[in-house]
Amino acid sequence: MLTKDSIFTSTPATDLIADTVVRHPAKPQTPYQVLQLLPKDATPAQQDSAIQSWFQPGEIHYSEQPDTLHLPGHDKGHNPRDIRIPDYNKEQFLADDSLYHPELAHEPFGMAGDPVPYNISNDNIISSILLGCFIMSLLAFSISKNYVIQQIKNFFYIPRREDIKTPTSSEVTALIFFALQACLLLAMAYFFYVKAYVADTFVFEDEYLFVGLLFLIIIIYMVLKYPLYSLVNYTFFIGKNNGQWLYTILLLSAIEGALLFPAILFQSYFEAPPKNIIIYAVFVLVLVKILTFYKCFVIFFRKKGLFLQIILYFCTLEIIPLLALWGGLGIITNALTINF
């Protein structure tokens, strides 16, 4: 008889049955298990569709029963819908530091740097005033265009009495606006002179307050000069010439403002040298005074031939008040500037 090989082992019948049974995978419990069932080259859209097919999100229903498992010494559990942060989560080492609380006032740390120098082109108020002057000048010129153009054309023409044209009320209003604009531009030109040659620090925190004070002083000068003209003219000359002279003064003020406006814009936004602007402003003033002297001679002294009287008249009513204005502005400027 042949003996049985000790190495040979027979396969149990139960193992054969187990190999023939097809094992089905269990239902995935997590999205990771769902992704493991897909091939490696599955696109993100396929992965998302597979996850949505296995898992259907449902509405979360929170328990309405009170929480009785809170820690001893603490309050009862709060509503899970309440997202307020507890106070102990806010308590930190730097909780009282003002840097973490912008609503609290605090002093800045470190050393203060050099302040940014004042530049009139960055001043919104001055820029708004100049823009407003430009727009109002266009409106005023559209109202008084015919009168202004006619007077400029006939400026050096000696008119007869019947050729004298009286402006309307709207044209007079436009001329008064031009005169006020000339006062403002003169104030700004003097401000540039002060900044360049006198001082650049004032008792005012804002530079435009100083410009506003200069503007007010020049307006007072103009307002006082017209009654003085009227008093002298109505004493020595006839009434029609006096009215013509007042309209001529308004026209010359409008011309003065129109000539100064480009210079102020160049200084404000293109940083032109202050010396050139001051020389140009002085040239404009001298030119306007020469034209004023000429019109004064044509209106009042042409037929009389009194040369000494016109010099006295012009110096008394034009030169001396202008020098008084310059001296007053100098005194006020010295009182308002800060000299270190």
Side-chain angles (χ1 to χ4, degrees), residues 280-305:
Y280 178 79
V282 172
F283 171 76
V284 171
L285 286 176
V286 173
L287 178 62
V288 171
K289 296 306 176 185
I290 293 175
L291 296 178
T292 305
F293 183 83
Y294 169 75
K295 294 300 291 185
C296 179
F297 172 76
V298 170
I299 294 175
F300 295 122
F301 298 96
R302 178 174 56 88
K303 296 181 180 180
K304 299 180 181 181

Side-chain angles (χ1 to χ4, degrees), residues 150 157-166 240 244:
Q150 181 181 1
Y157 170 71
I158 300 176
R160 296 186 298 270
R161 186 176 300 274
E162 59 272 8
D163 296 336
I164 298 175
K165 180 182 178 181
T166 302
K240 194 165 186 178
Q244 183 184 358

Side-chain angles (χ1 to χ4, degrees), residues 12-63:
T14 57
D15 294 341
L16 295 176
I17 296 174
D19 291 339
T20 58
V21 175
V22 179
R23 297 182 179 180
H24 296 281
K27 181 180 179 181
Q29 301 297 322
T30 61
Y32 175 76
Q33 295 177 358
V34 175
L35 297 178
Q36 293 298 321
L37 300 176
L38 299 177
K40 294 183 179 180
D41 57 349
T43 62
Q46 294 174 347
Q47 296 176 359
D48 183 67
S49 300
I51 293 175
Q52 292 185 11
S53 63
W54 281 101
F55 300 99
Q56 298 296 329
E59 184 180 358
I60 300 176
H61 299 279
Y62 294 98
S63 175

Side-chain angles (χ1 to χ4, degrees), residues 36-325:
Q36 293 298 321
L37 300 176
L38 299 177
K40 294 183 179 180
D41 57 349
T43 62
Q46 294 174 347
Q47 296 176 359
D48 183 67
S49 300
I51 293 175
Q52 292 185 11
S53 63
W54 281 101
F55 300 99
Q56 298 296 329
E59 184 180 358
I60 300 176
H61 299 279
Y62 294 98
S63 175
E64 301 295 337
Q65 300 297 327
D67 184 10
T68 58
L69 299 178
H70 55 273
L71 296 176
H74 290 266
D75 297 334
K76 295 182 179 180
H78 62 280
N79 191 343
R81 297 184 180 88
D82 188 5
I83 59 173
R84 292 178 296 176
I85 301 176
D87 293 336
Y88 55 79
N89 289 344
K90 299 180 182 179
E91 296 178 358
Q92 300 176 1
F93 179 74
L94 300 175
D96 297 333
D97 195 341
S98 59
L99 295 177
Y100 288 87
H101 298 277
E103 70 276 5
L104 301 178
H106 67 278
E107 295 294 333
F109 298 99
M111 182 180 298
D114 295 333
V116 178
Y118 175 79
N119 191 355
I120 198 171
S121 61
N122 298 330
D123 197 325
N124 295 331
I125 295 181
I126 296 297
S127 300
S128 301
I129 291 175
L130 292 177
L131 181 60
C133 287
F134 178 74
I135 296 175
M136 295 299 296
S137 298
L138 295 179
L139 296 176
F141 182 74
S142 64
I143 295 173
S144 60
K145 176 177 63 176
N146 296 330
Y147 177 80
V148 171
I149 293 177
Q150 181 181 1
Q151 293 301 314
I152 292 176
K153 287 181 178 180
N154 301 330
F155 191 83
F156 296 100
Y157 170 71
I158 300 176
R160 296 186 298 270
R161 186 176 300 274
E162 59 272 8
D163 296 336
I164 298 175
K165 180 182 178 181
T166 302
T168 61
S169 59
S170 60
E171 292 174 345
V172 172
T173 303
L175 292 177
I176 292 175
F177 168 77
F178 282 125
L180 294 177
Q181 179 180 337
C183 295
L184 175 61
L185 298 177
L186 285 174
M188 298 186 68
Y190 184 80
F191 172 72
F192 295 150
Y193 164 77
V194 173
K195 292 278 290 184
Y197 298 102
V198 180
D200 57 353
T201 54
F202 308 94
V203 296
F204 299 110
E205 295 182 358
D206 299 318
E207 303 287 347
Y208 60 87
L209 294 179
F210 182 67
V211 178
L213 180 61
L214 296 176
F215 175 54
L216 180 62
I217 294 172
I218 296 177
I219 286 180
I220 294 175
Y221 160 77
M222 296 293 293
V223 170
L224 294 179
K225 189 174 71 170
Y226 284 104
L228 183 61
Y229 266 122
S230 300
L231 177 63
V232 175
N233 292 340
Y234 279 99
T235 303
F236 297 100
F237 307 106
I238 61 177
K240 194 165 186 178
N241 290 341
N242 298 336
Q244 183 184 358
W245 173 248
L246 291 179
Y247 297 144
T248 302
I249 291 296
L250 288 175
L251 178 64
L252 291 173
S253 299
I255 295 174
E256 184 179 8
L259 293 177
L260 287 175
F261 193 73
I264 300 302
L265 291 181
F266 269 96
Q267 172 61 27
S268 301
Y269 300 104
F270 298 99
E271 297 182 358
K275 181 179 179 181
N276 297 341
I277 301 300
I278 294 171
I279 293 175
Y280 178 79
V282 172
F283 171 76
V284 171
L285 286 176
V286 173
L287 178 62
V288 171
K289 296 306 176 185
I290 293 175
L291 296 178
T292 305
F293 183 83
Y294 169 75
K295 294 300 291 185
C296 179
F297 172 76
V298 170
I299 294 175
F300 295 122
F301 298 96
R302 178 174 56 88
K303 296 181 180 180
K304 299 180 181 181
L306 302 176
F307 296 99
L308 180 60
Q309 284 80 353
I310 187 175
I311 293 176
L312 294 176
Y313 175 87
F314 189 78
C315 291
T316 303
L317 298 180
E318 282 290 337
I319 305 301
I320 293 179
L322 185 62
L323 295 177
L325 174 65

